[in-house]
Every structure is written in C-alpha cells, then in structure tokens.
Amino acid sequence: MIFDITHYGATGDGVTDDAPAIQRAIDACADNGGGRVTLPAGRTYLSGTILLRSFVDLHIESGATLAASPHDEAYTLRRQTSGLAGLPGQDTDLSTMLITAKGEKNVSITGGGTIDGGGRHFVIKDNGHSYEMEKVRPYTIYLIDCERVVIRDVVIRDGAYWTVRASGCRGVQIHDISIRNDTLLPNSDGIDIDSCQRVNISGCDIVTGDDGICLKTCRESTRYGNCEDVVVTNCTIVSTSSALCIGSETASPIRKVVFSSCVISGTNRGITVQMVDGTDVSNVLFSDIVVETRFFDRVWWGQGEPIHVSVAPFRAASGTVRNIRFRNILARSEGGVVVHSDDPGCISGLVFDGVRVEIDRWSGRPGGFWDLRPNLANDVVPHTTSGFHVEHVSDVSLRDCEVVFAQPEGHRSPDLRHAVELVAVEDVRRCDVRGTSADPSRWSAMVRDRQPIDA
C-alpha cells in the first residue's frame, strides 16, 4: 500500500512544518498493516520529529527533500543520551532527533531523495577550523531497539549531529547511501553503530566532520548487549577526525567485526581503535584498505596516524584490546602508526600483515606531536614520529611490512625517527619490516630497553 503524504496535508513548500502530515501518513500506514509512505518528487518538506513505526518504509523520491526544521521547538521527542558530553555526570540536556523509532520492527528509509539535516541552522560561530555549535541539535536518524532495519539509497546532507545512529538494533542493513556533511561541523559523525548485532554496511560514500563510520557501546545502551557481528565494506570516507573507528564510547564489549575494501582520504586518523572504558574490544579484522591521513587543526583529534590503537583510562579503568588484525593496508600519511597503552597488559594479539606506510609532509603544518586523546590530559604533546611505534603491547607481529620516508634524505622533517620503535613490548613474534630510519646514519629501528635491531 502507498501512502502519499500530500494526501494527509503536507504542503512541500519548504516553510510549513509538514511533520504532523507526515506522521498522519505513517500512522495510517502502520494501522493498515504497513506499506510505503512516499514523499513525492519536486518539493521540500520542512519537518520536525518524525516517529517511524513497524512495517513502514519511509520513501523519499528522487527530487524530494525532507528538511530538518531550524526551530528547536519542532523537535517534539527528546531523549537522554551520553553523546552531548564527554564525561559521566555532565549530560544534563536532552537530545533531539529528526527521524526516530524505538522498539519497532521492519522499519526502512529508502529512495533516491535527500534528507537535509540542517546543521547550518545550529552554528553559533565560525572559528576558522571548526564551528561553535548549539549544544542541543538533532540527530538526523536515530533508531533504538529496532529489529530488521534498512536504510538504502538516500542522500543525507548537512547533518547537525550524528547523522545515522542505530542503538541496540538487530539486523541492520545500510547500503548505498551518500552522506555530505560540513567537514568543519563537530560531532557530525557519518554512521554510528551503538550496541547493535548483525550489521551490514556497504557501498556508502561519506564526507563528514568527525568519525566516518564508528562502532560504539554507549552508557545508555548497555541493556542491549554487545556490539558484534558487524561487517563494513566497499565504502569511501573523507573525515575531519577518524574514518573507520571503534570507540571512544565502549561501555560494553565490541567484538567479531570486519572492515574491508575501503578508501580513506583527507582524514586526521585513518583506522582507529580507542578504548577509554573498562571493557573489551576483540576479534577485529581491517583488510584491503587504502588510507591517506594528514595534519589539521588541533581542535580535532588526530595527528595524521594511518592506524591508531590506544588504551587509556578516561571514564573507567583501562579495558583491553585483543586479537586485532591489519592486513593489506596501503597508507600515505603525515604521521606514523601509533599503538599505545598507558598500562601494560591491555593490548595483545596484534598482527600487521602487508602494511605499507609512506610518511610524507604536504599540509604545511609541523610534525613532532602525539595525540592520544581521548584521555584525561586532553592535550597534544611533543613526540618524535616513527613508521610504527608500539608501546606496552604483548604478542605482536609485523609481517611483510614496509616503511618509506618520502622526503629526500637531508631534507626530512626533524621529528622523523625510526622505521620501527618498540617500547616495553613483550613477545614480539615477528618483525619483518622493509625500510630504514629517517636518518640511517643516526637511528636504527629500536626496541627500548633492549638491544637495537635493524629494520
């Protein structure tokens, strides 16, 4: 059955709030056993909060736009989330949302049309490298505790906050969507998968500020269990922070995850696993990925690391990261691979297999800094740069890896050091790395507190 929202009073003039008419069409569709609610082409439908229901396909036709209202009062449903602040006890404001559902089954958002998240309406000030934003601004799509979710083919632009968030959902399919956010808009993540199971994301083209595709287990979602059985493949991502990310919200375990066949460009951090809560991330595979990372303003996390794995107590005691594989990764970056734990025994079972890191400098910004945020220090600190820096890790292997310093010898940035630097590492099963240090006359690859080794 087809339910045309204009038959329920939607004007599509881009001025009138069409949310009540859209909701009437959704309710009629659900009350009649389900079907498709259509937004006809050629119009812009201004809207506040829309509540999806079971067995309803919200279909935005090619040439139609669903536009988020600039008026805060248009967002009639508000929920407590942990996303608005970084530390416990600071989340006092309720979050708003454009399209949402809770506890529904067989919900979908489809069509070749556009969802305009209206991020520009919530900008307070342009600071040059990022915007100062209203604290409360809407999630574009926020689905909670839903079964069998499909989001396909839509174009989403100018997200005001996390663009697509699924929390505690089972059986999530997100395919062939395009996200075009302002890359200076903080927290405008592309896709956030929070405490979900059986998730498949493919063919998505994402340009966004902050994380591109991120797996989380937020504090308000722990009742829904682990985040697990997730596959992300064939995506292209441009991000002002991390492109493919696990964390930093990790209140319950994340495991059994595959990221493959993706291309990452223009990003502060390429592949990120950041553990700041006392839980576990395990059995994760990153494979067949091309990465390009660069320096940017320090308001954004990251120092050009193609791969970043860190464990630091922030909201709770240190958790663990176990059995992570990086296979067939080609990286051109301004920073090096960083694996770091504040405490020993938290990171184990890491394998780098066929990882090539070419370190070059092209942004015009200086190197020689480390960014381990999020952590309690919450700052960037001076530090040298190596192709691979691995610290406080046990059971690590580097197989058929390569480090290249692209700047000509004698003209390399002064912070560049070793091809490989291992610090307080236990059980190095293999260290098979081609390449030399940035200045072979001064530095070889180093194992701190042990004898130097060549690599």
Side-chain angles (χ1 to χ4, degrees), residues 197-213:
Q197 300 87 43
R198 305 188 313 279
V199 179
N200 195 309
I201 301 171
S202 69
C204 296
D205 182 19
I206 299 172
V207 177
T208 191
D210 231 303
D211 302 332
I213 299 175

Side-chain angles (χ1 to χ4, degrees), residues 181-333:
N181 290 342
D182 192 322
T183 56
L184 299 186
L185 201 155
N187 303 116
S188 63
D189 296 18
I191 299 172
D192 288 289
I193 302 300
D194 164 33
S195 305
C196 296
Q197 300 87 43
R198 305 188 313 279
V199 179
N200 195 309
I201 301 171
S202 69
C204 296
D205 182 19
I206 299 172
V207 177
T208 191
D210 231 303
D211 302 332
I213 299 175
C214 186
L215 309 189
K216 302 173 179 284
T217 47
C218 296
R219 283 167 283 153
E220 68 270 21
S221 304
T222 53
R223 74 191 77 170
Y224 303 118
N226 302 338
C227 186
E228 60 187 16
D229 302 325
V230 179
V231 177
V232 177
T233 186
N234 296 337
C235 294
T236 55
I237 303 171
V238 175
S239 164
T240 316
S241 195
S242 297
L244 299 176
C245 181
I246 295 177
S248 56
E249 291 83 7
T250 50
S252 55
I254 300 174
R255 62 186 189 182
K256 294 186 290 182
V257 177
V258 174
F259 294 91
S260 69
S261 302
C262 294
V263 176
I264 296 167
S265 306
T267 299
N268 282 11
R269 284 177 178 163
I271 299 168
T272 305
V273 179
Q274 47 196 30
M275 166 67 74
V276 298
D277 295 312
T279 185
D280 179 66
V281 172
S282 62
N283 297 344
V284 180
L285 173 63
F286 297 92
S287 69
D288 302 297
I289 298 172
V290 177
V291 181
E292 184 179 87
T293 52
R294 48 85 176 112
F295 298 148
F296 196 53
D297 190 84
R298 292 183 191 173
V299 70
W300 302 93
W301 293 350
Q303 279 291 308
E305 313 100 309
I307 298 171
H308 173 105
V309 181
S310 62
V311 176
F314 183 46
R315 300 184 186 93
S318 296
T320 57
V321 173
R322 302 180 297 112
N323 302 332
I324 313 294
R325 303 289 188 267
F326 301 93
R327 186 180 66 197
N328 295 343
I329 311 292
L330 294 179
R332 177 176 181 260
S333 59

Side-chain angles (χ1 to χ4, degrees), residues 32-310:
N32 283 275
R36 172 170 285 181
V37 173
T38 62
L39 280 65
R43 303 184 189 182
T44 296
Y45 304 93
L46 190 70
S47 182
T49 301
I50 299 168
L51 186 62
L52 290 181
R53 294 181 59 188
S54 295
F55 302 102
V56 172
D57 172 22
L58 183 66
H59 187 79
I60 305 165
E61 292 184 347
S62 182
T65 298
L66 176 66
S69 173
H71 307 297
D72 182 70
E73 62 271 17
Y75 300 97
T76 54
L77 183 61
R78 296 168 186 255
R79 293 192 170 101
Q80 189 77 51
T81 69
S82 62
L84 290 172
L87 289 169
Q90 296 182 348
D91 305 315
T92 57
D93 294 293
L94 298 178
S95 297
T96 58
M97 49 218 68
L98 176 60
I99 303 172
T100 189
K102 184 174 183 180
E104 306 292 341
K105 297 180 179 179
N106 290 82
V107 294
S108 59
I109 301 168
T110 65
T114 299
I115 301 172
D116 184 340
R120 61 198 176 279
H121 303 312
F122 302 91
V123 175
I124 297 173
K125 182 182 178 182
D126 183 349
N127 292 321
H129 301 297
S130 68
Y131 301 138
E132 182 181 342
M133 305 294 297
E134 298 281 356
K135 185 178 181 182
V136 177
R137 51 197 195 270
Y139 292 88
T140 308
I141 299 171
Y142 186 6
L143 307 178
I144 306 169
D145 190 23
C146 292
E147 187 90 24
R148 296 185 298 277
V149 172
V150 174
I151 304 173
R152 178 182 289 124
D153 298 331
V154 292
V155 176
I156 308 175
R157 71 184 184 208
D158 199 24
Y161 198 57
W162 296 1
T163 308
V164 177
R165 176 176 178 175
S167 293
C169 297
R170 285 84 57 200
V172 179
Q173 304 285 322
I174 303 176
H175 303 304
D176 301 314
I177 72 169
S178 176
I179 295 176
R180 286 293 183 274
N181 290 342
D182 192 322
T183 56
L184 299 186
L185 201 155
N187 303 116
S188 63
D189 296 18
I191 299 172
D192 288 289
I193 302 300
D194 164 33
S195 305
C196 296
Q197 300 87 43
R198 305 188 313 279
V199 179
N200 195 309
I201 301 171
S202 69
C204 296
D205 182 19
I206 299 172
V207 177
T208 191
D210 231 303
D211 302 332
I213 299 175
C214 186
L215 309 189
K216 302 173 179 284
T217 47
C218 296
R219 283 167 283 153
E220 68 270 21
S221 304
T222 53
R223 74 191 77 170
Y224 303 118
N226 302 338
C227 186
E228 60 187 16
D229 302 325
V230 179
V231 177
V232 177
T233 186
N234 296 337
C235 294
T236 55
I237 303 171
V238 175
S239 164
T240 316
S241 195
S242 297
L244 299 176
C245 181
I246 295 177
S248 56
E249 291 83 7
T250 50
S252 55
I254 300 174
R255 62 186 189 182
K256 294 186 290 182
V257 177
V258 174
F259 294 91
S260 69
S261 302
C262 294
V263 176
I264 296 167
S265 306
T267 299
N268 282 11
R269 284 177 178 163
I271 299 168
T272 305
V273 179
Q274 47 196 30
M275 166 67 74
V276 298
D277 295 312
T279 185
D280 179 66
V281 172
S282 62
N283 297 344
V284 180
L285 173 63
F286 297 92
S287 69
D288 302 297
I289 298 172
V290 177
V291 181
E292 184 179 87
T293 52
R294 48 85 176 112
F295 298 148
F296 196 53
D297 190 84
R298 292 183 191 173
V299 70
W300 302 93
W301 293 350
Q303 279 291 308
E305 313 100 309
I307 298 171
H308 173 105
V309 181
S310 62

